[in-house]
Amino acid sequence: MILPSPAKHPTGPSTPARFTPVPDARPDDTAWPPLAWPPASDVLLVGEHVRLMTLNPERHAAELFQALDDDATWQHLSHRPRTADDYAASLAESLTGPLAPGPHGGRWRWAVQLTKPFGPFAADALVGTTSFLDVSPSGGRLEIGSTAYARPCWGSAVNPETKLLLLSYAFDELGAGRVQIKTDARNSRSQQAIARLGATYEGTLRRHQRRADGSIRDTVMFSIIIEDWPAVRDGLQRRLDA
């Protein structure tokens, strides 16, 4: 029995183009030490507008829930707590098991507190939370994410100073060589805010992460590396001084 020859498809738009390999942008790179990880539990990062402290679910959850109890705040995050107890439980769960901070990584949650009155908030009010996550001590890298602020703080000095404090700590104290920040492709406000920090857009990860409603988002990825850090630091400081 003679089988027919497989059909031959002419080269056309459906044929993948030959990929041009990406060159090594840092051919003279040298050995990089691991992160100084984890941070001390009593670490405190203090700026002119905000201070960042290690988040304690028992102490901070109720006040944070009250400040963040707004559907718009949680629109692009993976879980929207409905009560202060629900929020405290989810915070506590996120800091246990494989996500507990330790020598091999884990997550570090921060509470964002005002140093002076702002809008409807008094001095020392808790107005947001953010995290170090996807930490690779051996790779000298981490991510800043799971960030949420009370809506009156949007567009204020709160986010740029929070990021300046976190980036300064990551690069200058922990010894990071890379800090990445990512967001939902639908979250244009967040993309613009990340770009304004001076972070570099690296690409979009397709069908990357599940949303709270069960759909799968495309994720927009940015990064700041140690070579970028002096210019990014100076740019953030100029914004805060303006």
Side-chain angles (χ1 to χ4, degrees), residues 33-71:
L35 292 180
W37 186 263
S41 59
D42 60 351
V43 62
L44 189 66
L45 310 181
V46 182
E48 180 183 353
H49 305 279
V50 297
R51 66 176 66 90
L52 274 60
M53 64 191 77
T54 303
L55 194 153
N56 182 311
E58 292 183 359
R59 289 174 47 211
H60 300 146
E63 185 177 354
L64 276 174
F65 177 78
Q66 184 176 3
L68 302 175
D69 189 17
D70 183 329
D71 287 342

Side-chain angles (χ1 to χ4, degrees), residues 65-151:
F65 177 78
Q66 184 176 3
L68 302 175
D69 189 17
D70 183 329
D71 287 342
T73 298
W74 298 96
Q75 181 179 1
H76 298 289
L77 297 176
S78 59
H79 172 65
R80 199 305 193 201
R82 293 298 171 184
T83 67
D85 288 343
D86 178 23
Y87 190 38
S90 68
L91 290 174
E93 183 179 2
S94 74
L95 295 174
T96 60
L99 294 180
H104 302 295
R107 180 177 196 155
W108 196 272
R109 282 190 175 272
W110 304 90
V112 181
Q113 184 181 49
L114 295 177
T115 62
K116 61 181 74 173
F118 176 79
F121 300 106
D124 299 330
L126 296 178
V127 295
T129 180
T130 189
S131 296
F132 285 155
L133 51 111
D134 194 20
V135 180
S136 173
S138 63
R141 62 174 170 79
L142 55 80
E143 179 177 322
I144 296 173
S146 293
T147 301
Y149 303 114
R151 199 200 286 226

Side-chain angles (χ1 to χ4, degrees), residues 188-208:
S188 57
R189 183 178 62 83
S190 178
Q191 292 177 49
Q192 291 166 347
I194 295 169
R196 284 194 71 201
L197 298 173
T200 297
Y201 168 69
E202 292 186 321
T204 300
L205 308 180
R206 301 181 301 165
R207 296 189 62 81
H208 175 248

